[in-house]
Amino acid sequence: MSNKCIDSGNNAAAHAARLAGVEVVAAYPITPQTPLTEKLSEWVASGEMDAEYVAVESEHSALGVCIGAASAGVRAFTATSANGLLYMSEQLHWAAGARLPLVMCVVNRGVGAPWSVWNDHQDAMSQRDTGWIQLFVKDHQEIVDVTIKAFRLAEAVHIPVMVNYDGYYLSHTYMPFELPDAEAVRAFLPPYVYKHALDPQRPENLNSVTLPDARRDAGGVLRGGYMDIRHNLQQEMHQALAVWEEIDADYRQRFGRGGAPVLEAYRLEDAEFVVVAMGTLANQFRDVVDRLRQEDGIRVGVLAVQVYRPFPARQLAEALQAARGVMVFEKGLSYGHQGALFADVKSALYPWPARPVLRNFIVGIGGREIPTNELCRNLKQACGQDELPPEVADTPNWIGLQL
Amino acid sequence: MSDTPKTTVLSLTEEEFVHPGNRACSGCSMGLLYRIGAKALGRDCIFVVPPSCMTVMQGLYPVSASQFPIFNCTFASTAAVATGVRAAMKRLGRTTQVVAWAGDGGTSDIGIQALSGALERGEDIIYICYDNEAYMNTGVQRSGTTPCSSLTTTTPFTGKAQAAKDVPAIVAAHNPTFVATCSASYPLDFHDKLLRAKQMRGLKYFHIQTPCPPGWGCEERLTIKIGRMAVESGLFVLYEIENGVKRLSEPSARLLKKGRRPVRDYLKLQVRFRHMSDEQIAALQAQVDARWDDYREAFADD
Ligand SMILES: Cc1ncc(C[n+]2csc(CCOP(=O)(O)OP(=O)(O)O)c2C)c(N)n1
Ligand code: SF4
């Protein structure tokens, strides 16, 4: 049996969840995520997938069901987009605070109002401080590989993981990809074990009220207060980067490919200028960069940020040390400030000796077309002008506005 | 059913599932209810609890006031989290009871969507709403089940203008396996209804009135008495609905033949109703009388 298929990105994600041995799926429809969970419901109904499928009445409940299932000791999964993700916000914080190893696919879409079903990254950006690990993938193969790997990461570090992929660009397009062998995935991803699973034989009170200061438990052991618990999450979030690298290496060894290491460099070796981007935009920039190199002789490369939270600040700064200019192109904003990724890149570079020229470009908001020609033109222009007054250089440039 | 033997204080199991000492206020009837209810539920259960007095009562991390696994969830998601735990039990091949234990705010207001979803799906869980008739944990604000005229910190001076939501009726409209109303003042009635509910599949909903001294403005020593007066006056009615058939439970059924206490007796013991005028009390009495006229017809054979 061949494991090669040509299918949609949503179906690629569904395959990954099935291969990962997900046992409870809860979901609520929202475009462009819907076909993913419809596919899972179809497999559960036909018996091709041995899991409980719970069609809930809201996203808040979808994550609630996953939170309950994971706490009780089974592997759980859900998916959403845009306003669905925002509606989950309280639950996102809860899942991370409770240290539940959940995995969720977020099919990125612009956030209402006004309504838009098209792609940008504002949904994920607005939830970046919920304590979830956030991964961004670039194609269907990465959706499969990264989703499977995400379960191992989540379960290794006890932090929930969001696998982000671009609505329509990936969710609804068909591409060839390869599915790993089910047996091999089982060997890579051992059965779910949750140390604190709810069990009447071993009663524990999970997520109870805490105090600011540490207190002793019944056995006299000092247990951290709220702040200490938060500190642990932050520390272990940072450690997750190294764990992800190990998982990536293991996956590569077993399956011959990885998909979304922390950062992915394209033509960076001799690059004078570097584009930083996430998701399919980073793929599009490979063409842009090839063209600028060929037609204009500009030495430019692409650095795709694939692990966005925890933010790989050191790796990123190291990768950018030789660059004269760094151009961050992105599809989300921290309103009243600048591009969210741009602000992160800038702060990552600050402690390092090299201070490349930085520029921020906002593109593709709410699905606005991103013509490759426009990207070429803007990037070429940016590479030519390194002496801009700081306040101008710091202001995001919107590409493709129709005002 | 009436043919199952009734538990008495003598036959009630001595086994305790709740540790001595917890953080409930003195005189809290919910604490008592929890302790007795736990005896009916037995050890093989998992609790799901949203923010409420129950959360606080259990004790602060890292200690717990009871011997059950308890998952504290967000305010709106009790029934959804219970659904998830239930799904996990099914996967693990365990028959462990999943018990949602939420306040009236967490049930009738913010949590009603998730509850309605779980009801519609027929989740196999026991959902217990203890109704202290306001948001007590945050300091006595009105909730959907706060009765008309009741003073709360968000309905000061003249009291709540609207009637309470009839949550058991809303639940019953979903046609669940079992709906029961109970009172903390009749804990053995609750105990025995739980014993029966444990044998049933599907969603079993309990709505329990739990008098609360600080919230109601009553003396701690009077909570049980006040709860009894709510039932004896016919204001709070104990009943159960199984397979769509509604029956009055014994303490209320008794009132069909016996006279009822005036509601005034009940109201006058609580600061939250002290401002009610004679006309308002008379109007409430008339409402209760009319309801019982209906009951006399509906339950003539009982
Ligand atoms: C989303 C959200 N909103 C508000 C709160 C604050 N809150 C905590 S407990 C509570 C009231 C609980 O009232 P109820 O469910 O009636 O239980 P009780 O405290 O009376 O036992 C509120 C409003 C919260 N925890 N979460
Ligand atoms: S406020 Fe009322 S319900 Fe809450 S613990 Fe105190 S007495 Fe019990």
Side-chain angles (χ1 to χ4, degrees), chain B residues 6 38 70 95 105 145-146 160 184 282 295:
Chain B
K6 280 195 167 40
I70 297 172
T95 52
T145 68
T146 299
K160 187 185 176 191
Y295 283 164

Side-chain angles (χ1 to χ4, degrees), chain B residues 75-97:
Chain B
F75 207 17
S77 68
T78 317
V81 173
T83 297
V85 176
R86 181 65 222 140
M89 291 304 112
K90 196 169 166 202
R91 295 294 310 171
L92 299 170
R94 300 215 305 250
T95 52
T96 302
Q97 291 283 343

